[in-house]
Amino acid sequence: KIISQVMRQGKHEGIVPLLHTYLSADPPCLEYEYVEGGDLAGVIQGRHDGLTAPQAAHIIRRLAEIVGFAHRMNPPVVHRDLKPANILAAPEPDGKWRLRITDFGIGGLAIQQAVARSRDSSNHDEFLTAAVRGSYTPLYGSPQQMRGEDPDPRDDVYALGVIWHQLLTGDLTTGRPRGEAWKKRLADRGMTPALLA
């Protein structure tokens, strides 16, 4: 159901189109349109000191617009595994990046398959919980996802915050910042109080 919705309604220049589904294959797979270029993880790795505050803010704003489109579908589609490796980035002549999000529907597919398999499982609840929790990358997973709660747009918003921090630090190994020292470090790099908030 989620996959069909993504194919039917998910047409947006910032979302890589899902072309075909092979849900009965072993293993099941989805076929997306081929997009040349790299991903946002490569951009971050190439900038060891991170991007400037305006560059990072521009990227996050664009990603929020794309994700917001999916969240406004009826019913909302939540990516649930938003991370730099699922964001394709191609440089444009003006020095900005053309961003496209891929793998929309994967989190929904994992849940859908978990439900189907749990019907045959001797331990229904344990299997279903493990499968739903497995539909995200822990570094980017919201507290709600880690508790196994239902998909919520807040899951993607949380991941965008982690990605923003990574864009600014140039470090893909850190998750959400903790404590207060990160605010001073980023303010020293040009982040305004409003952006920090």
Side-chain angles (χ1 to χ4, degrees):
K1 182 177 174 182
I2 294 171
I3 301 295
S4 298
Q5 182 185 2
V6 170
M7 291 181 78
R8 209 175 46 255
Q9 298 177 20
K11 295 178 182 12
H12 185 282
E13 66 181 3
I15 297 175
V16 177
L18 176 60
L19 302 177
H20 301 289
T21 62
Y22 303 96
L23 301 180
S24 58
D26 187 24
C29 63
L30 305 176
E31 179 184 347
Y32 287 89
E33 176 182 284
Y34 173 75
V35 177
E36 196 168 332
D39 59 29
L40 196 58
V43 172
I44 293 170
Q45 287 175 327
R47 309 276 175 100
H48 300 292
D49 293 333
L51 280 71
T52 67
Q55 289 171 325
H58 174 77
I59 288 172
I60 290 300
R61 180 183 173 123
R62 180 65 184 134
L63 292 174
E65 290 169 355
I66 297 166
V67 171
F69 169 82
H71 292 172
R72 287 188 299 276
M73 288 184 194
N74 188 14
V77 172
V78 180
H79 192 289
R80 291 210 102 194
D81 195 21
L82 196 58
K83 58 187 175 185
N86 285 339
I87 301 166
L88 304 180
E92 294 186 325
D94 62 3
K96 294 183 180 172
W97 296 92
R98 180 168 188 236
L99 304 169
R100 297 182 78 192
I101 299 174
T102 190
D103 289 351
F104 261 104
I106 295 292
L109 175 62
I111 292 167
Q112 187 179 52
Q113 294 216 330
V115 170
R117 284 190 203 147
S118 69
R119 292 185 185 126
D120 300 327
S121 174
S122 59
N123 195 340
H124 168 79
D125 292 336
E126 185 177 309
F127 179 83
L128 188 59
T129 300
V132 169
R133 285 186 178 161
S135 63
Y136 66 91
T137 302
L139 193 62
Y140 305 91
S142 71
Q144 298 90 334
Q145 281 175 283
M146 292 186 188
R147 290 190 300 264
E149 294 179 16
D150 290 339
D152 186 293
R154 294 176 297 169
D155 300 335
D156 293 343
V157 172
Y158 182 94
L160 284 174
V162 173
I163 294 167
W164 196 353
H165 185 253
Q166 291 176 338
L167 285 166
L168 291 164
T169 62
D171 185 357
L172 286 169
T173 66
T174 60
R176 107 179 158 86
R178 303 198 187 277
E180 296 294 318
W182 66 273
K183 292 180 184 179
K184 178 168 179 2
R185 282 193 306 273
L186 295 181
D188 291 345
R189 299 205 41 223
M191 287 283 283
T192 66
L195 290 177
L196 286 170

